[in-house]
């Protein structure tokens, strides 16, 4: 696949409709494209350019600035091992060295079967659970060699498929309401957004929700029940139930 | 004992079952702050925040109320929440986004109401996939509940909120780079002046940029009043602060502590907080406010945790990231890794930052690898001086943003505090700490 498929193209139009200027949607669109193909193809970037009114080179110019975007194929699982200061102090380089041996690749490399890419990453904001890694941006903290091996085996066997989607998938939750739900174009009628949408035949994705004060919404999670057992121990550092450290 | 019984403000709901859901948020009085704000005028909300003296929690510590007061009169006005958290060893916003996204949304809405913003963007670091998912679910819930969108909570005020993912670039935490990124461009910081996005921001329109933790305080401030907030802490530093404690402590984690009442000693050693140095080793040094800040040693343990107190000893509170290093830590390796980060993340617009970072990184690496020369310390300081003349604190700036001037503090601290250790590397031809070599194949990128 190369260009956005029809479903993703509609998602792209919905995203563009959220912003006062189409170009602002470019990074979310690049994530969408990367989610479709696992990396950014030239045809895909050209398609994004058509959608937001940019040359393909301008799209690539933006994409190439950002570390999360890959213009070459990467493995199904991108394992990013943090080696920054807090993790370094907890043995991150030893962990990375072990990861290299376990996977048989150097940082930046991909295994021959296309399953794993390894990265030597900057701080992942999980420093309370150092050393840590992300797999396709899902967090795994308090790693050691054994836990790393276990993680790799579980990924390879598909046991973590629900937790860790294939590389490129960022946010599995769709927005269920369009802009301007608030009912006013911030640029006024005829401003850049209205004009652009008139030209491109798009608009708010979903009609604005009526205000229902008092009643919690249900079913708005768009089908994704986020079971985060494996990844959220990460954030529960404050007031640890065990009242003590892990060492 | 100096740990006070001040209430937790931003982390009160942490650890509640499914704390990120609307149902759980409403059980704890969620959106009551917004409801109360809507019964006030925007000016009254702004005044409450002035009274609270809420300092920005993103690093610079600028008063939120004062920033809002600098907003240029024009339409539209944008509000952008900075959730790009990438400063090494900082992990507080990550936690707030994942565990209490509704608090963030409510805080952003209160801010939007006070500054009369026309649209709100929550710029969230791209790597925080779970946070992005939870926040988007929460926002969908909040729309359906009527807290966002048209006629908010039955009032005649309407505003839209957009969750916007970043894509992996530390520099996009700098507010003008963040705005460029939000415009769909490369994240190059903008040349100043204009110094404040409040004058010229997103698409050239007046824009308020506030940190996630900053606005997460607002529901409490509005509910309890600016006075109640200002009753906590002392001097300029009011309220509480999340300190992200990491490194060689028994209990790393985020701790919300009343400003100006506890010291670094409390944070690191109190059994309810850091619990002391892991393995009962000795404290060598600690980084008090993120890796851009000059380091402190054991003699500074009694400095109180307050922005101005930390500034008095020649460093900064920054984002509240405290990183502890025990006596097995190699200062060269630590400084090298920090500089390597800045070199990697430099956007490349300014020569001192783009080139200087690489030079300092190479020199530190060769010292660590046992290839250092006696003249290397002077050379390091000379390069640092070219990046930030005088190598003073706060740093002099030759560059478009302060990423460049963030390079010298770590190596300068290592040289100042552990000069003998650097010479030992050079004279012995190896690192005196185990393991004595960084893996050769690594760290080349
Ligand atoms: C290199 C650099 C990185 C920054 N990273 C962040 C960040 O990740 N998060 C943040 O809130 N502020 C960051 N800042 C500070 C912002 O520019 C800005 O001051 C802040 O978001 C304002 O919010 P506050 O007033 O609420 O603190 C960074 C600044 C610089 C120079
Ligand atoms: S100081 Fe560094 S990061 Fe900042 S604008 Fe200059 S080159 Fe870019
Ligand atoms: S230093 Fe590794 S996650 Fe922050």
């Amino acid at each position: 696949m190369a260009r956005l498929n029809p479903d993703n193209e509609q998602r792209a139009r919905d995203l563009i409709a959220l912003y006062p200027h189409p170009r602002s949607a470019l990074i979310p669109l690049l994530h969408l494209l990367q989610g479709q193909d696992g990396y950014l193809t030239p045809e895909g970037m050209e398609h994004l350019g058509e959608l937001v009114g940019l040359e393909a080179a301008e799209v690539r110019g933006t994409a190439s600035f950002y570390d999360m975007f890959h213009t070459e194929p990467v493995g199904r699982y991108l394992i990013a091992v943090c080696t920054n200061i807090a993790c370094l102090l907890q043995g991150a380089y030893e962990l990375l060295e072990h990861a290299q041996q376990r996977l048989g690749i150097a940082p930046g490399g991909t295994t021959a079967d296309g399953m794993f890419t390894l990265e030597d990453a900057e701080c992942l904001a999980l420093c309370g659970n150092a050393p840590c890694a992300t797999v396709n941006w899902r967090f795994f903290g308090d790693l050691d060699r054994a836990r790393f091996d276990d993680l790799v085996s579980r990924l390879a066997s598909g046991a973590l498929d629900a937790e860790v989607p294939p590389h490129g998938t960022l946010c599995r939750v769709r927005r269920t309401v369009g802009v301007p739900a608030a009912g006013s174009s911030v640029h006024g009628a005829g401003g850049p957004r209205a004009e652009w949408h008139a030209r491109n035949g798009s608009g708010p994705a979903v009609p604005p929700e009526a205000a229902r004060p008092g009643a919690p919404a249900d079913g708005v999670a768009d089908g994704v029940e986020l079971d985060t057992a494996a990844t959220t121990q990460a954030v529960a550092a404050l007031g640890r139930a065990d009242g003590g450290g892990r060492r | 004992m100096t740990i006070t019984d001040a209430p937790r403000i931003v982390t009160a709901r942490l650890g509640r079952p499914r704390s990120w859901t609307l149902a759980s948020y409403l059980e704890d009085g969620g959106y009551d702050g917004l409801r109360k704000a809507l019964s006030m005028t925007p000016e009254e909300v702004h005044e409450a925040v002035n009274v609270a003296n809420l300092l920005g929690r993103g690093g610079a510590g600028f008063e939120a109320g004062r920033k809002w007061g600098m907003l240029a009169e024009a339409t539209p006005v944008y509000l952008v929440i900075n959730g790009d958290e990438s400063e090494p060893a900082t992990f507080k916003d990550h936690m707030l986004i994942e565990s209490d996204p509704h608090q963030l949304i409510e805080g952003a809405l209160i801010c939007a109401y006070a500054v009369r913003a026309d649209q709100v963007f929550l710029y969230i670091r791209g790597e925080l996939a779970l946070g992005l998912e939870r926040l988007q679910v929460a926002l969908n819930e909040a729309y359906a509940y009527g807290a966002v969108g048209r006629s908010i909570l039955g009032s005649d005020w309407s505003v839209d909120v957009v969750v916007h993912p970043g894509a992996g670039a530390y520099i996009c935490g700098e507010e003008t780079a963040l705005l460029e990124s939000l415009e769909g461009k490369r994240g190059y910081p903008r040349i100043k002046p204009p110094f404040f996005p409040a004058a010229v921001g997103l698409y050239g329109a007046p824009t308020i940029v506030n940190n996630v933790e900053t606005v997460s305080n607002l529901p409490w401030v509005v509910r309890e009043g600016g006075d109640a907030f200002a009753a906590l802490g002392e001097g300029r530093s009011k309220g509480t602060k999340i300190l992200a404690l990491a490194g060689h402590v028994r209990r790393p984690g985020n701790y919300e502590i009343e400003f100006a009442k506890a010291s670094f000693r409390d944070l690191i050693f109190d059994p309810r907080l850091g619990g002391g140095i892991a393995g009962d080793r000795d404290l060598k040094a600690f980084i008090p406010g993120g890796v851009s800040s000059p380091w402190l040693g054991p003699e500074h343990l009694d400095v109180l945790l307050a922005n101005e107190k930390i500034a008095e000893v020649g460093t900064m509170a920054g984002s509240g990231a405290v990183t502890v290093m025990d006596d097995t830590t190699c200062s060269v390796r630590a400084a090298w890794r920090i500089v390597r980060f800045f070199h990697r993340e430099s956007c490349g617009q300014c020569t001192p930052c783009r080139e200087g970072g690489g030079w300092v990184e190479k020199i530190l690496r060769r010292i660590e690898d046992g290839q250092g020369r006696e003249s290397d310390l002077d050379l390091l300081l000379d390069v640092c001086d070219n990046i930030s003349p005088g190598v003073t604190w706060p740093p002099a700036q030759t560059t478009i943003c302060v990423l460049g001037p963030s390079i010298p503090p770590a190596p300068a601290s290592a040289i100042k505090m552990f000069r003998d250790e650097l010479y030992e590397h050079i004279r012995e031809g190896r690192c005196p700490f185990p393991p004595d070599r960084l893996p050769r194949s690594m760290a080349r990128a």
Side-chain angles (χ1 to χ4, degrees):
Chain A
M1 214 165 319
R3 293 170 66 87
L4 290 176
N5 64 35
D7 179 44
N8 282 333
E9 182 169 335
Q10 185 53 48
R11 284 189 76 176
R13 291 189 192 280
D14 295 346
L15 282 167
I16 292 167
L18 298 176
Y19 295 90
H21 295 268
R23 183 171 182 158
S24 274
L26 188 52
I27 288 173
L29 259 49
L30 285 160
H31 281 301
L32 186 68
L33 179 66
Q34 188 159 267
Q36 173 182 294
D37 299 332
Y39 72 105
L40 303 172
T41 59
E43 298 80 2
M45 286 189 276
E46 202 175 313
H47 192 189
L48 299 190
E50 289 165 23
L51 288 169
V52 298
L54 293 174
E55 298 297 328
E58 293 174 290
V59 174
R60 186 183 280 268
T62 292
S64 62
F65 187 82
Y66 297 92
D67 290 345
M68 285 175 78
F69 293 134
H70 295 264
T71 50
E72 301 289 334
V74 295
R76 178 179 171 86
Y77 297 114
L78 189 149
I79 304 183
V81 177
C82 171
T83 58
N84 211 309
I85 186 73
C87 290
L88 174 142
L89 296 173
Q90 304 284 10
Y93 276 101
E94 287 82 346
L95 180 68
L96 182 62
E97 191 167 37
H98 174 75
Q100 275 186 276
Q101 280 158 8
R102 173 69 179 77
L103 299 171
I105 46 177
T110 299
T111 54
D113 62 1
M115 276 296 271
F116 297 104
T117 297
L118 184 63
E119 246 176 33
D120 170 3
E122 294 301 344
C123 175
L124 298 164
L126 196 71
C127 332
N129 299 77
C132 64
T134 56
V135 183
N136 298 348
W137 315 118
R138 271 66 189 176
F139 286 90
F140 297 90
D142 300 323
L143 291 177
D144 55 23
R145 287 164 202 228
R147 291 196 63 187
F148 182 85
D149 290 348
D150 182 51
L151 175 60
V152 169
S153 319
R154 284 191 294 152
L155 287 167
S157 72
L160 288 175
D161 281 0
E163 284 286 333
V164 185
H167 180 255
T169 306
L170 184 59
C171 182
R172 290 166 292 179
V173 181
R174 288 196 195 195
R175 187 179 167 113
T176 55
V177 65
V179 163
S184 59
S185 163
V186 293
H187 289 280
R193 187 172 59 207
E195 187 190 292
W196 187 87
H197 289 310
R199 206 164 6 97
N200 288 272
S202 64
V206 182
E209 292 272 351
R212 286 189 287 127
D218 43 41
V220 290
D222 198 17
V224 182
E225 176 55 23
L226 299 168
D227 175 14
T228 52
T231 52
T232 26
Q233 352 133 324
V235 290
L238 193 136
R240 278 161 193 254
D242 61 6
R246 53 203 158 74
R247 271 172 293 271
Chain B
M1 196 63 251
T2 47
I3 314 298
T4 64
D5 45 8
R8 286 196 202 153
I9 294 178
V10 285
T11 62
R13 305 190 58 258
L14 232 83
R16 291 265 211 289
R18 301 176 58 77
S19 60
W20 52 91
T21 59
L22 179 65
S24 149
Y25 194 57
L26 292 177
E27 268 171 31
D28 292 328
Y31 292 105
D32 283 355
L34 178 62
R35 229 172 240 112
K36 183 168 172 196
L38 292 173
S39 73
M40 301 158 68
T41 64
E43 291 73 20
E44 285 166 349
V45 177
H46 189 164
E47 185 50 27
V49 174
N50 280 334
V51 169
N53 204 52
L54 175 62
L55 301 184
R57 269 43 170 169
F62 196 84
E63 294 88 344
R66 205 170 123 215
K67 184 188 284 187
W68 300 356
M70 292 162 55
L71 206 49
E73 290 272 342
T75 312
V77 165
Y78 295 107
L79 171 62
V80 178
I81 303 303
N82 189 343
D84 194 48
E85 183 165 74
S86 328
E87 171 83 11
T90 312
F91 49 102
K92 64 190 179 71
D93 297 340
H94 183 185
M95 179 190 70
L96 290 175
I97 294 163
E98 281 187 8
S99 49
D100 214 345
H102 280 287
Q103 176 175 265
L104 169 58
I105 292 168
E106 185 180 1
L109 288 167
I110 292 170
C111 181
Y113 179 71
V115 304
R116 297 187 156 88
D118 294 274
Q119 196 172 354
V120 181
F121 297 95
L122 308 175
Y123 187 109
I124 307 298
R125 179 172 176 184
E127 287 91 336
L128 308 184
L130 175 64
L132 283 160
E133 291 183 328
R134 287 217 176 130
L135 189 56
Q136 187 60 64
V137 172
L139 188 63
N140 288 345
E141 286 182 316
Y143 264 101
Y145 177 65
V148 196
R150 195 187 296 253
S151 303
I152 289 175
L153 299 175
S155 73
D156 58 5
W157 180 62
S158 305
V159 77
D160 275 310
V161 178
V162 174
V163 176
H164 183 95
Y170 166 70
I171 193 56
C172 291
E174 197 273 351
E175 57 193 8
T176 62
L178 184 147
L179 296 175
E180 289 287 302
S181 178
L182 188 49
E183 291 181 5
K185 301 172 186 157
R186 295 167 76 84
Y188 289 134
R190 293 178 182 168
I191 292 174
K192 290 114 191 140
F195 287 101
F196 290 97
V200 181
L202 188 63
Y203 320 117
T207 303
I208 292 295
V209 182
N210 268 135
N211 169 261
V212 164
E213 186 189 349
T214 310
V215 297
S216 291
N217 277 288
L218 293 176
W220 195 95
V221 170
V222 169
R223 268 195 333 263
E224 310 291 329
D227 291 324
F229 192 87
L232 303 170
E234 254 164 51
R236 280 186 74 225
S237 303
K238 303 294 196 192
T240 61
K241 175 79 189 82
I242 303 182
L243 292 150
L245 181 65
H248 293 140
V249 285
R250 284 210 178 80
R251 291 160 42 87
N254 285 311
Y255 297 100
E256 182 176 351
I257 297 179
E258 183 179 355
F259 257 134
K261 298 292 163 64
S263 63
F264 283 108
R265 187 187 302 283
D266 297 321
L267 177 66
I268 296 170
F269 290 97
D270 190 287
R272 290 163 295 173
L273 305 173
I277 311 291
D280 285 321
R281 304 211 62 100
D282 289 329
L283 173 69
K284 175 170 185 160
F286 57 98
I287 312 176
V291 294
S292 343
S293 63
W295 304 354
L296 296 176
E299 67 278 18
H300 290 117
L301 276 173
D302 292 315
V303 172
L304 291 179
L305 297 161
N307 284 16
E308 60 270 41
K309 297 287 178 200
I310 298 173
E312 271 170 24
V313 291
T315 180
M316 67 165 176
S319 53
V322 178
T323 307
V324 175
M325 301 187 273
D326 73 14
D327 56 0
T328 64
T329 308
C330 172
S331 63
V332 180
R333 205 179 305 165
W336 164 79
R337 188 59 186 82
I338 291 168
V339 171
R340 173 168 187 252
F341 166 78
F342 287 122
H343 179 217
R344 251 182 153 184
E345 297 297 331
S346 168
C347 82
Q349 290 188 101
C350 320
T351 310
C353 172
R354 183 187 64 239
E355 305 298 329
W359 276 99
V360 176
E361 182 193 337
K362 279 202 192 83
I363 300 164
L364 286 167
R365 180 63 196 256
R366 106 176 149 215
I367 296 174
E368 174 65 7
D369 281 347
Q371 315 283 319
R373 303 163 198 164
E374 295 270 339
S375 54
D376 276 351
L377 268 58
D378 288 341
L379 184 59
L380 273 174
L381 288 172
D382 187 42
V383 180
C384 285
D385 184 65
N386 276 292
I387 298 171
S388 179
V391 196
T392 51
W393 190 266
Q397 199 169 336
T398 54
T399 48
I400 295 172
C401 85
V402 296
L403 188 147
S406 299
I407 297 169
S413 296
I415 292 174
K416 192 169 133 211
M417 298 168 74
F418 307 108
R419 180 176 284 269
D420 290 346
E421 193 176 303
L422 272 79
Y423 277 126
E424 199 179 337
H425 278 78
I426 293 166
R427 291 185 185 139
E428 311 249 313
R430 63 179 192 89
C431 173
F433 294 92
D436 73 345
R437 291 278 147 78
L438 285 164
R440 275 248 145 245
S441 55
M442 282 171 207
R444 289 287 178 228

